[in-house]
Amino acid sequence: KEVQQDLISNMQKWQKIENASIASTGRVMEKTENPIVRLVMEIIQRDSQMHYRVQGLIAESLQKTVSLTPEELGDVWELIEEHIKIEKKVQKLAEEALEATKGSKGMVVQSYLLEYLLEDEKKHNLMLEQLAGIQKGMYPYG
């Protein structure tokens, strides 16, 4: 129980920091017209907004039951498998695009943004792989 309360407290503190990050990125965007800086700040801002939601769900799940049943996951698993294929295609495209920029000194910004996209696609694939692990745990004989 104490560990749960500590984790809830941690999530609430973390949410305050995420709110500060959201405000900070907003201030940077207000001060610049540069499209690269604005885009980076917007990406960070949106990630912080999503982090806030995830932290909220973690805290909520410790205060009341939040569950995922085999039936709920099973109902959408075929669609998730289709999405896994899409994510793999997108990651391959990102890898190819990034490779094409290697050695081009005039493509520093493009390489920077392609690297971001590739890392994000890798993150999506990891999340889906871990969800597949959860699904396998629910259906050990499937």
Side-chain angles (χ1 to χ4, degrees):
K1 199 73 172 159
E2 185 179 330
V3 172
Q4 290 178 335
Q5 286 305 317
D6 288 347
L7 188 52
I8 291 167
S9 176
N10 182 297
M11 291 301 105
Q12 292 167 340
K13 288 176 193 168
W14 197 349
Q15 283 183 310
K16 288 178 183 166
I17 295 168
E18 293 294 358
N19 277 337
S21 175
I22 293 165
S24 176
T25 55
R27 287 191 298 276
V28 173
M29 287 188 290
E30 286 173 7
K31 275 225 173 257
T32 186
E33 292 298 318
N34 182 282
I36 299 162
V37 174
R38 289 182 64 83
L39 179 65
V40 170
M41 291 298 110
E42 187 177 342
I43 290 167
I44 293 168
Q45 188 176 68
R46 288 185 180 182
D47 281 353
S48 290
Q49 290 166 340
M50 188 54 60
H51 298 168
Y52 185 95
R53 289 184 58 200
V54 172
Q55 293 147 3
L57 184 60
I58 291 169
E60 183 182 331
S61 72
L62 295 168
Q63 296 167 325
K64 64 180 186 178
T65 302
V66 176
S67 65
L68 176 61
T69 67
E71 294 77 24
E72 290 169 324
L73 197 50
D75 287 346
V76 293
W77 193 251
E78 198 173 296
L79 295 170
I80 291 171
E81 285 179 327
E82 287 177 29
H83 192 79
I84 289 169
K85 291 175 188 169
I86 292 168
E87 289 289 344
K88 287 182 179 177
K89 286 179 188 176
V90 173
Q91 182 176 337
K92 187 174 188 309
L93 285 173
E95 288 168 348
E96 290 170 359
L98 186 60
E99 187 60 35
T101 66
K102 294 279 191 233
S104 295
K105 292 185 183 202
M107 301 188 86
V108 176
V109 171
Q110 292 82 4
S111 294
Y112 169 71
L113 293 173
L114 286 167
E115 192 70 52
Y116 155 73
L117 290 172
L118 177 58
E119 290 305 313
D120 223 36
E121 293 306 330
K122 287 179 181 178
K123 178 183 73 174
H124 295 170
N125 283 320
L126 178 62
M127 291 179 75
L128 290 167
E129 285 175 22
Q130 291 171 333
L131 190 57
I134 291 171
Q135 196 263 356
K136 283 184 176 73
M138 291 179 165
Y139 296 104
Y141 307 105

